[in-house]
Amino acid sequence: MPARILDGLASAARVQAQVAAAVDARRAAGRPQPGLAMVVLGDEAGSQAYLRSKRAACAAAGIASFDVELPAATPQRALEELVAQLNADPRVHGIIVQLPLPAGLDEERVLAAISLEKDVDGFHPVNIGRLAMKGRQPLFVPCTPAGCLALLEDAGATFRGARAVVLGRSNIVGLPAALLLLQRDATVTVCHSRSADLPAICRTADILIAAVGRPEMVKADWVKPGAYVIDVGVNLAPGGGERLVGDVAFDEVKEVAGAITPVPGGVGSLTVAMLLRNTLRAAELADAAAQGA
Ligand code: GUN
């Protein structure tokens, strides 16, 4: 039986509607409008596309956007000064700096400079550290991994005791996705470019998250019948043209998996929805801090 196709657009629309309703309620109660600052360096096409979709989603949810576009040659010091300004700006509740940064900039220092309370990407080392530790909770969870988990939850996946395989160990997706699965008591294997016999490891997975950036790498015989397959990849299809494909060979894998996300229309829209949710949370944390002050 072909897999259920998990509708990322529908899940994202539900989250966005919840955020929009909560923003309306805040504003009706006289609380400040949530604000999100996005810093983009250079004019890489993927970053520009993300900026546009994030801006539109903020507008639809009633969240103010404070976007800063800088040349790729921006010095480290100027970038850190900008982050300090945004940290101090009370209209800005969340700050994201689009990654990867242009060559020559120190990502670790920039991410650590973002105020913990405004770190809506969840990439600050303290937030990631808390995510990795038993019994600790980060203030914010990275958006794409949170979107993967939301899709699995909406699809009714069981985490406790499930075998989960994450393909890819990036700081943005693979690693935090693995930590989130572990937090939910899955038995987690993280695979990467040096892993031996990827197909055999993937075939053990009740839940498979593919985040490696290799077009259609995961084939039907890599997938356990009935598995949940979450495809984070967004790649240009081999052979030229503008068609986008994921890391999973969708047409063949959908004949084996129990549930699968398409590309586009899967995880991507959830990333933006989770960013809006995190920004709302940041505004709520600022309210609580102001009341406690
Ligand atoms: N680059 C790719 N995905 C992301 C993301 O979620 N946040 C940031 N800051 N950069 C990214």
Side-chain angles (χ1 to χ4, degrees):
M1 197 170 64
R4 254 187 311 153
I5 312 299
L6 304 179
D7 185 347
L9 295 172
S11 291
R14 273 198 298 279
V15 174
Q16 294 193 10
Q18 285 164 4
V19 172
V23 171
D24 277 352
R26 289 179 60 79
R27 295 182 76 184
R31 293 203 294 277
Q33 180 184 22
L36 173 64
M38 180 165 170
V39 180
V40 178
L41 289 94
D43 55 4
E44 199 257 317
S47 297
Q48 292 295 327
Y50 186 48
L51 180 62
R52 278 195 302 278
S53 65
K54 191 231 59 163
R55 209 179 261 156
C58 278
I63 292 176
S65 284
F66 301 92
D67 297 328
V68 187
E69 294 182 68
L70 296 172
T74 299
Q76 180 81 24
R77 164 108 63 100
L79 182 54
E80 289 183 27
E81 280 170 7
L82 171 66
V83 168
Q85 261 172 36
L86 295 170
N87 282 341
D89 187 335
R91 299 167 306 162
V92 172
H93 300 96
I95 303 169
I96 69 174
V97 177
Q98 185 67 9
L99 303 177
L101 291 175
L105 289 169
D106 182 338
E107 176 188 302
E108 189 177 354
R109 275 180 46 194
V110 173
L111 295 181
I114 295 173
S115 150
L116 203 54
E117 291 74 21
K118 297 192 178 190
D119 174 38
V120 288
D121 254 333
F123 293 160
H124 189 289
V126 171
N127 273 324
I128 286 287
R130 287 180 181 162
L131 185 65
M133 293 172 83
K134 210 169 164 185
R136 309 278 163 85
Q137 286 302 328
L139 289 176
F140 303 100
V141 171
C143 300
T144 301
C148 295
L149 272 280
L151 277 165
L152 288 163
E153 271 159 11
D154 285 356
T158 302
F159 297 101
R160 177 164 296 175
R163 287 189 181 272
V165 171
V166 180
L167 272 177
R169 56 177 161 180
S170 73
N171 291 335
I172 293 177
V173 185
L175 181 78
L179 295 173
L180 282 172
L181 289 162
L182 193 58
Q183 215 178 49
R184 282 170 177 69
D185 298 328
T187 302
V188 184
T189 303
V190 182
C191 297
H192 46 78
S193 54
R194 303 277 188 271
S195 297
D197 204 355
L198 286 177
I201 300 171
C202 290
R203 268 195 301 277
T204 67
D206 303 306
I207 295 171
L208 177 61
I209 297 184
V212 277
R214 293 282 177 89
E216 301 182 320
M217 183 171 91
V218 176
K219 308 295 186 203
D221 63 356
W222 294 35
V223 173
K224 180 174 178 173
Y228 290 87
V229 178
I230 304 291
D231 190 352
V232 183
V234 181
N235 313 292
L236 286 174
E242 291 294 295
R243 192 170 69 91
L244 294 178
V245 297
D247 292 347
V248 176
F250 182 84
D251 287 339
E252 57 180 87
V253 171
K254 78 175 189 322
E255 301 302 323
V256 180
I260 186 170
T261 58
V263 177
V267 178
S269 26
L270 263 296
T271 298
V272 174
M274 293 299 155
L275 182 60
L276 300 182
R277 183 185 271 179
N278 281 353
T279 304
L280 171 64
R281 176 167 161 70
E284 289 168 352
L285 289 173
D287 293 346
Q291 276 164 12

Coordinates of all heavy atoms in Angstrom, one line a residue, residues 18-108:
Q18 N -2.5 29.4 14.8 CA -2.4 29.5 16.3 C -1.6 30.7 16.7 O -1.9 31.4 17.6 CB -1.7 28.2 16.9 CG -2.6 27.0 16.9 CD -1.8 25.7 17.1 OE1 -0.5 25.8 17.3 NE2 -2.4 24.5 17.1
V19 N -0.4 30.9 16.0 CA 0.4 32.0 16.3 C -0.3 33.3 16.1 O -0.3 34.2 16.9 CB 1.8 31.9 15.6 CG1 2.6 33.2 15.8 CG2 2.6 30.7 16.0
A20 N -1.0 33.4 14.9 CA -1.7 34.6 14.6 C -2.8 35.0 15.6 O -2.9 36.1 16.0 CB -2.3 34.5 13.2
A21 N -3.5 33.9 16.1 CA -4.5 34.2 17.1 C -3.9 34.7 18.4 O -4.4 35.6 19.0 CB -5.3 32.9 17.3
A22 N -2.8 34.1 18.8 CA -2.1 34.5 20.0 C -1.6 35.9 19.9 O -1.6 36.7 20.9 CB -1.0 33.5 20.4
V23 N -1.1 36.2 18.7 CA -0.5 37.6 18.5 C -1.7 38.6 18.6 O -1.6 39.7 19.2 CB 0.2 37.7 17.2 CG1 0.5 39.2 16.8 CG2 1.5 36.9 17.2
D24 N -2.8 38.3 18.0 CA -4.0 39.1 18.0 C -4.4 39.4 19.5 O -4.7 40.5 19.9 CB -5.2 38.5 17.3 CG -5.2 38.7 15.8 OD1 -4.3 39.5 15.4 OD2 -6.0 38.1 15.1
A25 N -4.4 38.3 20.3 CA -4.9 38.3 21.7 C -3.9 39.2 22.5 O -4.3 40.0 23.3 CB -5.0 36.9 22.3
R26 N -2.6 39.1 22.2 CA -1.6 39.9 22.9 C -1.9 41.4 22.6 O -1.8 42.2 23.5 CB -0.2 39.7 22.4 CG 0.5 38.4 22.6 CD 1.9 38.4 22.0 NE 2.7 39.5 22.4 CZ 3.4 39.5 23.6 NH1 3.3 38.5 24.4 NH2 4.1 40.6 23.9
R27 N -2.1 41.7 21.3 CA -2.2 43.1 21.0 C -3.5 43.7 21.5 O -3.5 44.8 22.0 CB -2.1 43.2 19.4 CG -0.7 42.8 19.0 CD -0.5 42.9 17.5 NE -0.3 44.3 17.1 CZ -0.1 44.7 15.9 NH1 -0.2 43.8 14.9 NH2 0.0 46.0 15.6
A28 N -4.6 42.8 21.5 CA -5.9 43.3 22.1 C -5.7 43.6 23.6 O -6.3 44.5 24.2 CB -6.9 42.2 21.9
A29 N -4.8 42.9 24.3 CA -4.5 43.0 25.7 C -3.5 44.1 25.9 O -3.1 44.3 27.1 CB -4.1 41.7 26.3
G30 N -3.1 44.8 24.9 CA -2.1 45.9 25.0 C -0.7 45.5 25.2 O 0.2 46.3 25.6
R31 N -0.4 44.3 24.9 CA 1.0 43.8 25.0 C 1.8 44.1 23.7 O 1.1 44.2 22.6 CB 1.1 42.3 25.4 CG 0.6 42.1 26.8 CD 1.1 40.9 27.4 NE 0.6 39.7 26.8 CZ -0.5 39.1 27.0 NH1 -1.4 39.6 27.9 NH2 -0.9 38.0 26.4
P32 N 3.1 44.2 23.7 CA 3.8 44.6 22.5 C 3.7 43.6 21.4 O 3.6 42.4 21.6 CB 5.3 44.7 23.0 CG 5.2 44.7 24.4 CD 4.0 44.0 24.9
Q33 N 3.8 44.1 20.1 CA 3.8 43.3 18.9 C 5.1 42.5 18.9 O 6.2 43.1 19.1 CB 3.7 44.1 17.7 CG 3.7 43.3 16.4 CD 3.6 44.2 15.2 OE1 4.0 45.4 15.2 NE2 3.2 43.6 14.1
P34 N 5.1 41.2 18.7 CA 6.3 40.4 18.6 C 7.1 40.9 17.4 O 6.5 41.3 16.4 CB 5.9 39.0 18.4 CG 4.5 38.9 18.9 CD 3.9 40.3 18.7
G35 N 8.4 40.9 17.5 CA 9.3 41.4 16.4 C 10.4 40.4 16.1 O 11.0 39.9 17.1
L36 N 10.7 40.2 14.9 CA 11.7 39.2 14.5 C 12.7 39.9 13.6 O 12.3 40.5 12.6 CB 11.1 38.0 13.7 CG 12.1 37.0 13.1 CD1 12.9 36.3 14.2 CD2 11.3 36.0 12.3
A37 N 14.0 39.9 13.9 CA 15.1 40.4 13.1 C 15.8 39.3 12.4 O 16.2 38.3 13.0 CB 16.1 41.2 13.9
M38 N 15.9 39.4 11.1 CA 16.7 38.4 10.3 C 17.9 39.1 9.6 O 17.7 40.1 9.0 CB 15.8 37.8 9.3 CG 16.5 36.7 8.5 SD 15.3 35.7 7.6 CE 16.4 34.8 6.5
V39 N 19.1 38.6 9.9 CA 20.3 39.2 9.3 C 20.8 38.2 8.2 O 21.0 37.0 8.4 CB 21.4 39.4 10.4 CG1 22.6 40.0 9.8 CG2 20.8 40.2 11.5
V40 N 20.9 38.8 7.0 CA 21.4 38.0 5.8 C 22.6 38.6 5.3 O 22.6 39.8 5.0 CB 20.3 37.9 4.8 CG1 20.8 37.1 3.6 CG2 19.0 37.2 5.3
L41 N 23.7 37.9 5.1 CA 24.9 38.4 4.5 C 25.0 37.8 3.1 O 25.0 36.6 3.0 CB 26.1 38.1 5.4 CG 26.1 38.9 6.7 CD1 25.5 38.1 7.8 CD2 27.6 39.2 7.0
G42 N 25.3 38.7 2.1 CA 25.5 38.2 0.8 C 24.1 38.0 0.1 O 23.0 38.2 0.7
D43 N 24.2 37.6 -1.2 CA 22.9 37.4 -1.9 C 22.7 36.0 -2.4 O 22.2 35.8 -3.5 CB 22.8 38.5 -3.0 CG 24.0 38.4 -3.9 OD1 24.8 37.4 -3.7 OD2 24.1 39.2 -4.9
E44 N 23.0 35.1 -1.6 CA 22.9 33.7 -2.0 C 21.4 33.4 -2.2 O 20.5 33.8 -1.4 CB 23.4 32.8 -0.8 CG 23.8 31.4 -1.2 CD 22.7 30.4 -0.7 OE1 22.3 30.6 0.4 OE2 22.3 29.6 -1.5
A45 N 21.0 32.7 -3.3 CA 19.6 32.6 -3.7 C 18.8 31.9 -2.6 O 17.6 32.3 -2.3 CB 19.5 31.8 -5.0
G46 N 19.3 30.8 -2.0 CA 18.5 30.1 -1.0 C 18.2 31.0 0.2 O 17.0 31.0 0.7
S47 N 19.1 31.9 0.7 CA 18.9 32.8 1.8 C 17.8 33.8 1.4 O 17.0 34.2 2.2 CB 20.2 33.5 2.2 OG 21.1 32.5 2.6
Q48 N 17.9 34.3 0.2 CA 16.9 35.3 -0.2 C 15.5 34.7 -0.3 O 14.6 35.4 0.1 CB 17.3 35.9 -1.6 CG 18.6 36.7 -1.6 CD 18.5 38.0 -0.8 OE1 17.4 38.6 -0.7 NE2 19.6 38.4 -0.1
A49 N 15.4 33.5 -0.7 CA 14.1 32.8 -0.8 C 13.6 32.6 0.6 O 12.4 32.9 0.9 CB 14.2 31.5 -1.5
Y50 N 14.4 32.2 1.5 CA 14.0 32.0 2.9 C 13.5 33.4 3.5 O 12.5 33.4 4.2 CB 15.1 31.4 3.7 CG 14.8 31.0 5.1 CD1 13.6 30.3 5.4 CD2 15.6 31.4 6.2 CE1 13.3 29.9 6.7 CE2 15.2 31.0 7.5 CZ 14.1 30.2 7.7 OH 13.8 29.9 9.0
L51 N 14.3 34.4 3.2 CA 14.0 35.8 3.7 C 12.6 36.2 3.3 O 11.8 36.7 4.1 CB 15.0 36.8 3.3 CG 14.9 38.2 3.7 CD1 15.0 38.3 5.2 CD2 16.0 39.1 3.1
R52 N 12.3 36.0 2.0 CA 11.0 36.4 1.4 C 9.9 35.6 2.1 O 8.9 36.1 2.5 CB 11.0 36.1 -0.1 CG 11.6 37.2 -0.9 CD 11.2 37.1 -2.4 NE 11.6 35.8 -3.0 CZ 12.8 35.5 -3.4 NH1 13.8 36.4 -3.4 NH2 13.1 34.3 -3.9
S53 N 10.0 34.3 2.2 CA 8.9 33.5 2.8 C 8.8 33.8 4.3 O 7.6 33.9 4.8 CB 9.1 32.0 2.5 OG 10.2 31.5 3.2
K54 N 9.9 34.0 5.0 CA 9.8 34.4 6.4 C 9.1 35.7 6.6 O 8.2 35.9 7.4 CB 11.2 34.4 7.0 CG 11.3 34.5 8.4 CD 12.2 35.6 8.8 CE 11.7 37.0 8.3 NZ 12.2 38.1 8.9
R55 N 9.4 36.7 5.7 CA 8.8 38.0 5.8 C 7.3 37.9 5.6 O 6.5 38.5 6.3 CB 9.4 38.9 4.7 CG 9.5 40.3 5.0 CD 10.1 41.1 3.8 NE 11.5 41.4 4.1 CZ 12.4 41.6 3.1 NH1 12.1 41.4 1.8 NH2 13.7 41.9 3.4
A56 N 6.9 37.2 4.5 CA 5.4 37.0 4.2 C 4.7 36.4 5.4 O 3.6 36.8 5.8 CB 5.2 36.2 3.0
A57 N 5.3 35.3 6.0 CA 4.7 34.6 7.1 C 4.6 35.5 8.3 O 3.6 35.5 9.0 CB 5.5 33.3 7.4
C58 N 5.6 36.3 8.6 CA 5.5 37.3 9.7 C 4.4 38.2 9.5 O 3.6 38.5 10.4 CB 6.8 38.1 9.8 SG 8.1 37.2 10.7
A59 N 4.3 38.8 8.3 CA 3.2 39.7 8.0 C 1.8 39.1 8.3 O 0.9 39.7 8.9 CB 3.3 40.3 6.6
A60 N 1.7 37.9 7.8 CA 0.4 37.2 7.9 C 0.0 36.9 9.4 O -1.1 36.8 9.8 CB 0.4 35.9 7.1
A61 N 1.1 36.7 10.2 CA 0.8 36.4 11.6 C 0.8 37.6 12.5 O 0.6 37.5 13.7 CB 1.9 35.4 12.1
G62 N 1.0 38.8 12.0 CA 1.0 40.0 12.8 C 2.3 40.2 13.5 O 2.4 41.0 14.5
I63 N 3.4 39.6 13.1 CA 4.7 39.8 13.7 C 5.5 40.8 12.9 O 5.5 40.7 11.6 CB 5.5 38.4 13.7 CG1 4.8 37.5 14.7 CG2 6.9 38.6 14.1 CD1 5.3 36.1 14.8
A64 N 6.2 41.7 13.5 CA 7.0 42.8 12.8 C 8.3 42.2 12.4 O 8.9 41.4 13.1 CB 7.2 44.0 13.8
S65 N 8.7 42.5 11.2 CA 10.0 42.0 10.6 C 11.0 43.2 10.7 O 10.7 44.3 10.2 CB 9.9 41.6 9.2 OG 9.2 40.4 9.0
F66 N 12.2 42.9 11.1 CA 13.3 43.9 11.1 C 14.4 43.2 10.4 O 15.2 42.5 11.0 CB 13.7 44.3 12.5 CG 12.6 44.9 13.3 CD1 11.8 44.1 14.1 CD2 12.3 46.3 13.3 CE1 10.8 44.7 14.9 CE2 11.3 46.8 14.0 CZ 10.5 46.0 14.8
D67 N 14.5 43.3 9.1 CA 15.5 42.6 8.3 C 16.7 43.4 8.0 O 16.5 44.6 7.7 CB 14.8 42.0 7.0 CG 13.7 41.1 7.3 OD1 13.8 40.4 8.4 OD2 12.8 41.0 6.5
V68 N 17.8 42.8 8.1 CA 19.1 43.6 7.8 C 19.8 42.8 6.7 O 20.2 41.6 7.0 CB 19.9 43.7 9.0 CG1 21.1 44.6 8.7 CG2 19.1 44.3 10.2
E69 N 20.0 43.3 5.5 CA 20.8 42.7 4.5 C 22.1 43.4 4.4 O 22.2 44.6 4.2 CB 20.0 42.7 3.2 CG 18.7 41.9 3.2 CD 18.0 41.9 1.9 OE1 18.5 41.3 1.0 OE2 16.9 42.5 1.9
L70 N 23.2 42.6 4.5 CA 24.5 43.2 4.5 C 25.4 42.5 3.4 O 25.1 41.4 3.0 CB 25.2 42.9 5.9 CG 24.6 43.5 7.1 CD1 25.2 43.0 8.4 CD2 24.7 45.0 7.0
P71 N 26.4 43.2 3.0 CA 27.3 42.6 2.0 C 28.1 41.4 2.5 O 28.3 41.4 3.8 CB 28.3 43.7 1.6 CG 28.0 44.9 2.5 CD 26.8 44.6 3.3
A72 N 28.4 40.5 1.7 CA 29.2 39.3 2.1 C 30.5 39.7 2.8 O 31.0 39.0 3.6 CB 29.4 38.4 0.9
A73 N 31.0 40.9 2.4 CA 32.3 41.3 3.0 C 32.2 42.0 4.3 O 33.2 42.6 4.7 CB 33.1 42.1 1.9
T74 N 31.1 41.9 4.9 CA 30.9 42.6 6.3 C 32.0 42.1 7.3 O 32.1 40.9 7.4 CB 29.5 42.4 6.8 OG1 28.6 42.9 5.8 CG2 29.3 43.0 8.1
P75 N 32.7 43.0 8.0 CA 33.7 42.5 9.0 C 33.0 41.9 10.2 O 31.9 42.3 10.5 CB 34.4 43.8 9.4 CG 34.0 44.9 8.4 CD 32.7 44.5 7.8
Q76 N 33.7 41.0 10.8 CA 33.2 40.3 12.0 C 32.7 41.3 13.1 O 31.7 41.2 13.7 CB 34.4 39.5 12.6 CG 34.0 38.7 13.9 CD 33.3 37.4 13.6 OE1 33.3 36.8 12.5 NE2 32.5 37.0 14.6
R77 N 33.6 42.3 13.3 CA 33.2 43.3 14.4 C 31.9 44.0 14.1 O 31.1 44.2 15.0 CB 34.4 44.3 14.4 CG 34.0 45.6 15.2 CD 34.7 45.7 16.6 NE 36.1 45.7 16.5 CZ 36.9 46.9 16.5 NH1 36.3 48.0 16.7 NH2 38.2 46.8 16.5
A78 N 31.6 44.4 12.8 CA 30.4 45.1 12.4 C 29.2 44.1 12.7 O 28.1 44.6 13.1 CB 30.5 45.5 11.0
L79 N 29.4 42.9 12.3 CA 28.3 41.9 12.5 C 28.0 41.7 14.0 O 26.8 41.8 14.4 CB 28.7 40.6 11.9 CG 27.6 39.5 11.9 CD1 26.3 39.9 11.3 CD2 28.1 38.2 11.2
E80 N 29.0 41.7 14.8 CA 28.8 41.5 16.2 C 28.2 42.8 16.8 O 27.3 42.7 17.8 CB 30.1 41.1 17.0 CG 30.5 39.7 16.6 CD 31.7 39.2 17.3 OE1 32.0 39.7 18.5 OE2 32.4 38.3 16.8
E81 N 28.6 43.9 16.3 CA 27.9 45.2 16.8 C 26.5 45.2 16.4 O 25.6 45.7 17.2 CB 28.7 46.4 16.2 CG 30.0 46.7 17.0 CD 30.8 47.8 16.3 OE1 30.4 48.4 15.3 OE2 32.0 47.9 16.8
L82 N 26.1 44.8 15.2 CA 24.7 44.7 14.8 C 23.9 43.8 15.8 O 22.8 44.2 16.2 CB 24.6 44.2 13.4 CG 23.2 43.9 12.9 CD1 22.4 45.2 12.9 CD2 23.2 43.3 11.5
V83 N 24.5 42.7 16.1 CA 23.8 41.7 17.0 C 23.6 42.4 18.3 O 22.5 42.3 18.9 CB 24.6 40.4 17.1 CG1 24.1 39.5 18.2 CG2 24.5 39.6 15.8
A84 N 24.6 43.1 18.8 CA 24.5 43.8 20.1 C 23.4 44.8 20.1 O 22.6 44.9 21.0 CB 25.8 44.4 20.5
Q85 N 23.3 45.5 19.0 CA 22.2 46.5 18.8 C 20.8 45.9 18.8 O 19.9 46.3 19.5 CB 22.3 47.2 17.4 CG 23.0 48.5 17.4 CD 23.2 49.0 16.0 OE1 22.3 48.7 15.1 NE2 24.3 49.6 15.7
L86 N 20.7 44.7 18.1 CA 19.4 44.0 18.1 C 19.1 43.4 19.5 O 17.9 43.4 19.9 CB 19.5 42.9 17.0 CG 19.6 43.4 15.6 CD1 19.9 42.3 14.6 CD2 18.4 44.2 15.1
N87 N 20.1 43.0 20.2 CA 19.9 42.4 21.5 C 19.3 43.5 22.4 O 18.5 43.2 23.3 CB 21.3 42.0 22.2 CG 21.8 40.7 21.7 OD1 21.0 39.9 21.1 ND2 23.1 40.4 21.9
A88 N 19.7 44.8 22.2 CA 19.3 45.9 23.1 C 18.0 46.5 22.6 O 17.4 47.3 23.3 CB 20.4 46.9 23.1
D89 N 17.5 46.1 21.4 CA 16.3 46.8 20.8 C 15.0 46.1 21.4 O 14.7 45.0 21.1 CB 16.4 46.7 19.3 CG 15.3 47.5 18.6 OD1 14.2 47.7 19.2 OD2 15.5 47.8 17.4
P90 N 14.2 46.9 22.2 CA 13.0 46.2 22.8 C 11.9 45.8 21.8 O 11.1 45.0 22.1 CB 12.5 47.3 23.7 CG 13.1 48.6 23.2 CD 14.4 48.3 22.5
R91 N 12.0 46.3 20.5 CA 11.0 45.9 19.5 C 11.3 44.6 18.9 O 10.5 43.9 18.3 CB 11.0 47.0 18.4 CG 10.6 48.4 18.8 CD 10.9 49.3 17.6 NE 12.3 49.2 17.2 CZ 12.8 49.6 16.0 NH1 12.0 50.2 15.2 NH2 14.1 49.5 15.7
V92 N 12.6 44.2 19.1 CA 13.1 42.9 18.5 C 13.0 41.8 19.6 O 13.8 41.9 20.6 CB 14.5 43.1 18.0 CG1 15.1 41.7 17.5 CG2 14.5 44.1 16.8
H93 N 12.2 40.8 19.4 CA 12.1 39.7 20.4 C 13.0 38.5 20.0 O 13.4 37.7 20.8 CB 10.7 39.3 20.7 CG 9.9 40.4 21.2 ND1 9.1 41.2 20.4 CD2 9.8 40.9 22.4 CE1 8.5 42.2 21.1 NE2 8.9 42.0 22.4
G94 N 13.1 38.3 18.7 CA 13.9 37.2 18.1 C 14.9 37.7 17.1 O 14.6 38.6 16.3
I95 N 16.0 37.0 17.1 CA 17.1 37.4 16.1 C 17.6 36.1 15.5 O 17.9 35.1 16.1 CB 18.3 38.0 16.8 CG1 17.9 39.2 17.6 CG2 19.5 38.3 15.9 CD1 19.0 39.7 18.6
I96 N 17.6 36.1 14.1 CA 18.3 35.0 13.4 C 19.3 35.6 12.5 O 19.1 36.6 11.8 CB 17.3 34.0 12.7 CG1 16.7 34.6 11.5 CG2 16.3 33.5 13.7 CD1 15.8 33.6 10.7
V97 N 20.5 34.9 12.4 CA 21.5 35.2 11.5 C 21.6 34.1 10.5 O 21.9 32.9 10.9 CB 22.9 35.5 12.2 CG1 24.0 35.8 11.1 CG2 22.8 36.6 13.2
Q98 N 21.3 34.3 9.2 CA 21.2 33.3 8.3 C 22.6 32.6 8.1 O 23.6 33.2 7.9 CB 20.7 33.8 6.9 CG 20.4 32.8 5.8 CD 19.3 31.9 6.2 OE1 18.5 32.1 7.1 NE2 19.1 30.8 5.4
L99 N 22.5 31.2 8.1 CA 23.7 30.4 7.9 C 23.6 29.7 6.6 O 22.5 29.4 6.1 CB 23.8 29.4 9.1 CG 23.9 30.0 10.5 CD1 23.9 28.9 11.5 CD2 25.0 31.0 10.7
P100 N 24.7 29.3 6.0 CA 26.1 29.5 6.5 C 26.5 31.0 6.2 O 26.0 31.6 5.3 CB 26.9 28.6 5.6 CG 26.1 28.4 4.3 CD 24.7 28.5 4.8
L101 N 27.4 31.4 7.1 CA 28.0 32.8 6.9 C 29.0 32.8 5.8 O 29.6 31.7 5.5 CB 28.7 33.2 8.2 CG 27.8 33.5 9.4 CD1 28.6 33.8 10.6 CD2 26.8 34.6 9.1
P102 N 29.2 33.9 5.1 CA 30.3 33.9 4.1 C 31.6 33.6 4.7 O 31.8 33.8 5.9 CB 30.3 35.4 3.7 CG 28.9 35.9 4.0 CD 28.5 35.2 5.3
A103 N 32.5 33.1 3.9 CA 33.8 32.6 4.3 C 34.5 33.8 5.1 O 34.4 35.0 4.7 CB 34.7 32.2 3.1
G104 N 35.3 33.4 6.1 CA 36.0 34.5 6.9 C 35.3 34.9 8.1 O 36.0 35.5 9.0
L105 N 34.0 34.7 8.2 CA 33.3 35.1 9.5 C 33.2 33.9 10.4 O 33.1 32.8 10.0 CB 31.9 35.6 9.1 CG 31.9 36.9 8.4 CD1 30.5 37.2 7.8 CD2 32.4 38.1 9.3
D106 N 33.3 34.3 11.7 CA 33.4 33.3 12.8 C 31.9 33.0 13.3 O 31.4 33.8 14.1 CB 34.3 33.8 13.9 CG 34.4 32.8 15.0 OD1 33.6 31.9 15.2 OD2 35.4 32.9 15.7
E107 N 31.3 31.9 12.8 CA 30.0 31.6 13.1 C 29.8 31.4 14.6 O 28.8 31.8 15.2 CB 29.6 30.3 12.3 CG 28.2 29.8 12.6 CD 27.9 28.5 12.0 OE1 28.0 28.4 10.8 OE2 27.5 27.5 12.8
E108 N 30.7 30.7 15.2 CA 30.6 30.4 16.6 C 30.5 31.6 17.5 O 29.6 31.7 18.4 CB 31.8 29.5 17.1 CG 31.6 28.9 18.5 CD 32.8 28.1 18.9 OE1 33.7 27.8 18.0 OE2 32.9 27.6 20.0

